[in-house]
Amino acid sequence: KSSNHDLKTAFACCSKFLFLTFVKGESYMLKDWNFWCSILTALTAVLALCLSVHQIRLSNKQHLFDRRLKAYMLANGLISLCKENYMWLSAKRENTPQFANDYVFIWLTNNTYMESQADAIKHPLAQPFHKDFLRKREELRNTAMEVEVIFKGKEALAYGDFLRAYENALGKMYQYQIIIDKMQKESEKHAMTVEAAAKMFSEEQYRDKLYDALESLRKTYDIVTQDRMERQLKKQLELV
C-alpha cells in the first residue's frame, strides 16, 4: 500500500508540473535545458519506482508460493501416511494393553520427514531422541499455524486441524509407550501379571487417551481428503 501511495504521488507531481508548464503558457521554459533535464529525471524516477514496485510484488508472490508449496507437500506426505495406515486409525477400542503401539507409531512416521522419530518410540525418554521428538512436534504445531495464515478459508482451518491432530496422536502414542515399557519392566522384575502391571501404571487411562487421539486424527483425515477440500487448496496454490 505504501508503494502504491508513493507511485500515485509521483505521478500526481509530474502531471501537475506538466500542466503548469504547457497549459498555463510558460513556453519560455521549453527552451531551458535544465527544464528538460528535470522532466527526464522525474520520468526516470517514476519508471524506476514502477519497476521497483513490480519487482517487490513478484518477489512477495514467489516467497508466498514457496511457503505454500512447502506446507502443502509436508501435509500431503502425512496424509499419505494416514491413508496407508487407515486401518490403525479406525481400529475398534480394545480392553487390553496395546503392545503393538510402537509398530503403529513407526508406520505413521514412515516417510523422509518423520522417519528419524522411529528411534524416539524405540527409546522413550532417552536422549537425544526425546529432544528430537519434541522439536519435531513443535515444527508440526508451527506448520499448522502457518497453514492457517498463508492459505485462506475453511480449507486452511481443516489442514491446520489435521496437522495438530497428527502431532497430538504421536504425542499420545509416545506417552502410552512409556507406560507399556514400565509395565514390561515391572512385570519382568517382579514376575507380575500384565493385568496387575496395567493397574499399577493406570494403563487404561492412557489407552483411552490414545484411542481418542487416533479417532480425532481419523476424523480430520476424512475431512481433508474430500475431493472438494483438496481441489480448493490446490487452487489457492495455483493462483499465487
Side-chain angles (χ1 to χ4, degrees):
K1 290 183 179 179
S2 177
S3 299
N4 289 335
H5 177 73
D6 293 340
L7 185 59
K8 290 179 181 179
T9 302
F11 272 118
C13 291
C14 287
S15 299
K16 184 177 181 180
F17 185 58
L18 291 174
F19 175 79
L20 291 173
T21 301
F22 294 103
V23 176
K24 291 198 172 184
E26 298 180 6
S27 57
Y28 66 92
M29 297 185 67
L30 297 178
K31 299 179 181 179
D32 189 346
W33 284 104
N34 291 329
F35 163 75
W36 286 110
C37 288
S38 299
I39 291 292
L40 292 176
T41 301
L43 293 176
T44 302
V46 170
L47 179 60
L49 182 59
C50 291
L51 293 175
S52 178
V53 170
H54 180 66
Q55 189 62 39
I56 290 173
R57 286 177 177 174
L58 289 179
S59 178
N60 289 340
K61 284 186 176 182
Q62 182 63 46
H63 181 61
L64 178 58
F65 174 79
D66 291 341
R67 290 178 64 190
R68 284 183 173 180
L69 181 62
K70 181 180 178 181
Y72 173 77
M73 294 298 292
L74 189 154
N76 194 54
L78 301 183
I79 289 172
S80 296
L81 287 177
C82 291
K83 179 180 180 180
E84 295 169 1
N85 299 281
Y86 192 80
M87 60 175 290
W88 299 113
L89 304 183
S90 54
K92 293 182 179 180
R93 294 177 181 246
E94 298 182 2
N95 296 323
T96 56
Q98 301 301 296
F99 292 103
N101 174 69
D102 53 344
Y103 290 102
V104 178
F105 183 98
I106 291 173
W107 286 120
L108 283 174
T109 56
N110 189 32
N111 69 7
T112 54
Y113 178 71
M114 295 295 300
E115 65 175 348
S116 62
Q117 303 314 306
D119 292 327
I121 203 70
K122 292 177 182 177
H123 311 284
L125 299 178
Q127 298 296 350
F129 313 117
H130 179 68
K131 185 176 181 179
D132 290 341
F133 179 60
L134 294 178
R135 185 182 296 112
K136 186 64 69 173
R137 290 182 63 188
E138 185 176 358
E139 287 180 11
L140 290 170
R141 290 193 295 269
N142 290 339
T143 301
M145 290 188 292
E146 183 178 24
V147 165
E148 294 175 348
V149 171
I150 61 179
F151 288 99
K152 300 177 182 179
K154 57 185 178 181
E155 296 81 20
L157 297 177
Y159 272 74
D161 289 342
F162 166 77
L163 290 170
R164 272 187 285 268
Y166 178 83
E167 180 272 328
N168 181 60
L170 294 187
K172 292 297 184 288
M173 295 177 79
Y174 186 78
Q175 292 175 0
Y176 186 72
Q177 191 60 39
I178 294 174
I179 299 301
I180 290 293
D181 286 358
K182 287 182 177 180
M183 286 172 50
Q184 291 176 329
K185 291 177 181 178
E186 193 68 22
S187 179
E188 293 172 359
K189 185 177 180 181
H190 299 290
M192 185 181 296
T193 63
V194 173
E195 292 77 11
K199 187 175 182 180
M200 175 182 288
F201 295 103
S202 303
E203 178 272 336
E204 184 178 358
Q205 177 183 346
Y206 287 93
R207 183 178 359 118
D208 287 340
K209 292 181 180 179
L210 170 64
Y211 277 124
D212 289 342
L214 291 176
E215 182 179 359
S216 178
L217 177 57
R218 176 182 60 79
K219 289 180 179 179
T220 58
Y221 166 83
D222 289 341
I223 293 175
V224 296
T225 52
Q226 295 175 1
D227 289 340
R228 180 182 56 80
M229 190 71 66
E230 188 174 1
R231 275 200 313 272
Q232 288 298 322
L233 198 74
K234 284 184 177 180
K235 187 176 181 181
Q236 290 190 43
L237 187 64
E238 294 170 357
L239 284 177
V240 174

